Amino acid sequence: MSSLRKRSVSALFPLPLVSEVRKRLPPNGRSRRRIANRAAVVQLQNAMVLFLNFEAAGRRREYSRAVGPTTPAQQRALAGIADAAKAMLCPEVLRGSLKTLGLGRGKIAAGWDSLAAIRHSVRLLETDTAHRQYRVSVPLGVAAGAAADEAVDVDIQRVKLPEQAATVHLERFLTEPTVRESFLHPSTLADTTKEPFTGRVCDRVPRAERAAFLRALDRAGMLAAMRAPLGKRSGFFAVRKQWDPERRVWMLRLILDRRARNAEEARVEPEEDTVPHGTCFLEMHLGPDEELRVFATDLPQWYYRIAVSAERAASNCFTTAEDGGEYRDTAAVQALLAEEGKPDDAEVGDVVFGLATLAMGDHNATTYAQCGHVQLLREAGAMPAECMMTYRGVPPAGKVHEGVVIDDHAVAAAVPRRGWKRSAAGQRARELHEAGRRAYEAIGVPDVAAKRQDGLRTAVVWGCELQGSRGRAGGPRTRRAALAALTLALCSSRVSTPELLGRVLGLWTDLLLYRRVVYAVLSAAYQFLHRYRDEPQTARTLTGPV
């Protein structure tokens, strides 16, 4: 009797490896790409097989047998692995270099920079030494330049400001009295029981460029002038927002370091929970002849389009006293003189400047933006209770699900694969989508046409990639591939700082929300971080289980 017959038909581990593609690559052409893509799929399948065998063997180095006879259980598992590998290596992943994938806001790129700094600063151990120290981490010293500083200097030329900001009076859409009152009058949020902020304000606007920075905000309608601030002064810094391939630079996002003022204010908790998450799509169930269609819109620069009261602008103060005469030509100073009943040529005196819009950095800003957006859509006929998704709520029972996350509105519908546009779910989803677009046009903030998704089968919503034809939801595949490449490079180096390892694990945390059982795989890595939490910048060898 063969060894395979002696095994149970349900035997699963160890899984056999998939046969490699051994055909020589042509010098160029479609055949080269086709063979290379097939080889990449096989390599990814084998990586999954090796990982699963490693886990099944108790995280010990076990031999994975080559291709051979398989049990029915293994055949089903290998078929699922092959399907996942082919889906993962989508055209967006295959087109570019792994280091250019999933750049997003620069966190993965920062991981590559830190890893390069660690490699440059320390000498890696020899293979035999690393093998002998498989379960012991050896400190190698502090790695210079490995720590990431997400805050960068403000370069106003790389910040995209709205042509006209502060045009939406959000208070009319804030229906809960406490939320509305705190939005208009932040002084009502004073909380003397909170610990005061004792750190240093992060102000990364170069002094030589401060005048140009203030005038740029003024031209966009984002600047307010006042005589005195409300609370402690804030500061502006920038973070990476998006890579611009044409200019070959990172575009920046402005952040107001409002920690000092936040420490004086209570958090606003609305009575109604309206916030969903990408994992809410996992609650949708598709029938055998159904697929998912997605409609989504994105409000451009939503925070900056929201006008705030004079009192809230004073709480967003970000400068010390300035000579107002130097800025007499700005609309902000002219508005201050008019409010005080002074002529245009009157002496201005000292002024301070604040942000006249909702601030990224205000710990209550997400509450105001979320509540206002939901009510705006409801008044236009969208966001009915029977379709509304929330992270902590009961999933909708019907075929159409709808939700809002700050500035992103999405509608997803389970529809027939054929004739979906004529189906009741498809028509209802389009009605809700168009109601949202009408609401945006009514307040003068049309959605971004380039980001609009109109009945797509594959779409990214709230950081979740939906594959409607396959019935899959998870982190964007380009981001997963980029993070997997960074993680593989980190493990291959066998050296990291706890700080870098913690950042990489943090990036995985969001992705694994869609497959929570995989968190168990990270137990050794979390134990490593806990053990060396007091030495965040010390480069150490990684143990085998990590």
Side-chain angles (χ1 to χ4, degrees), residues 299-505:
L299 284 179
Q301 300 164 314
W302 181 223
Y303 277 24
Y304 295 156
R305 298 303 294 266
I306 297 173
V308 299
S309 64
E311 184 176 320
R312 179 159 290 280
S315 74
N316 292 338
C317 172
F318 60 88
T319 70
T320 55
E322 302 274 352
D323 181 5
E326 296 182 9
Y327 299 96
R328 180 188 298 275
D329 58 318
T330 63
V333 170
Q334 289 296 315
L336 176 63
L337 293 176
E339 181 184 346
E340 295 176 341
K342 295 180 179 179
D344 294 346
D345 57 353
E347 183 178 351
V348 179
D350 287 346
V351 299
V352 293
F353 292 104
L355 190 66
T357 69
L358 204 57
M360 294 185 189
D362 183 340
H363 66 173
N364 287 316
T366 55
T367 296
Y368 301 133
Q370 175 75 15
C371 292
H373 192 172
V374 170
Q375 183 59 27
L376 169 67
L377 292 172
R378 283 175 172 168
E379 292 185 7
M383 294 294 290
E386 67 272 13
C387 297
M388 186 171 170
M389 291 187 289
T390 60
Y391 187 58
R392 297 177 178 85
V394 177
K399 297 289 187 181
V400 180
H401 293 207
E402 182 182 17
V404 164
V405 175
I406 313 300
D407 55 354
D408 293 325
H409 174 221
V411 185
V415 297
R417 292 184 180 274
R418 293 186 177 182
W420 72 270
K421 292 183 179 180
R422 298 188 300 273
S423 67
Q427 292 177 0
R428 180 56 173 157
R430 186 172 294 281
E431 288 174 3
L432 297 174
H433 174 65
E434 293 300 329
R437 293 191 58 202
R438 288 195 302 272
Y440 304 148
E441 292 174 0
I443 61 171
V445 188
D447 66 300
V448 183
K451 295 183 178 181
R452 186 183 308 143
Q453 301 179 85
D454 194 346
L456 301 184
R457 273 192 296 246
T458 300
V460 176
V461 177
W462 310 331
C464 171
E465 183 175 13
L466 299 168
Q467 301 176 55
S469 58
R470 297 182 66 237
R472 296 288 187 272
R477 285 172 286 180
T478 52
R479 186 164 177 242
R480 279 184 273 168
L483 187 53
L486 173 60
T487 305
L488 180 61
L490 182 68
C491 294
S492 299
S493 296
R494 306 193 303 279
V495 174
S496 177
T497 61
E499 187 270 340
L500 173 58
L501 182 62
R503 274 191 281 142
V504 173
L505 283 177

Side-chain angles (χ1 to χ4, degrees), residues 68-149:
T70 55
T71 67
Q74 289 176 331
Q75 293 169 10
R76 290 191 295 271
L78 292 173
I81 290 174
D83 181 61
K86 292 174 184 177
M88 184 68 191
L89 296 176
C90 57
E92 290 80 4
V93 171
L94 292 171
R95 272 198 290 262
S97 167
L98 281 174
K99 284 193 176 184
T100 66
L101 289 176
L103 286 178
R105 298 176 184 174
K107 292 184 178 181
I108 293 178
W112 283 109
D113 294 341
S114 296
L115 181 58
I118 293 172
R119 285 172 165 172
H120 181 73
S121 298
V122 301
R123 182 170 58 87
L124 299 182
L125 300 180
E126 297 295 332
T127 303
D128 57 345
T129 305
H131 180 71
R132 287 199 299 268
Q133 302 294 337
Y134 181 68
R135 293 189 178 275
V136 178
S137 176
V138 179
L140 302 176
V142 177
D149 184 5

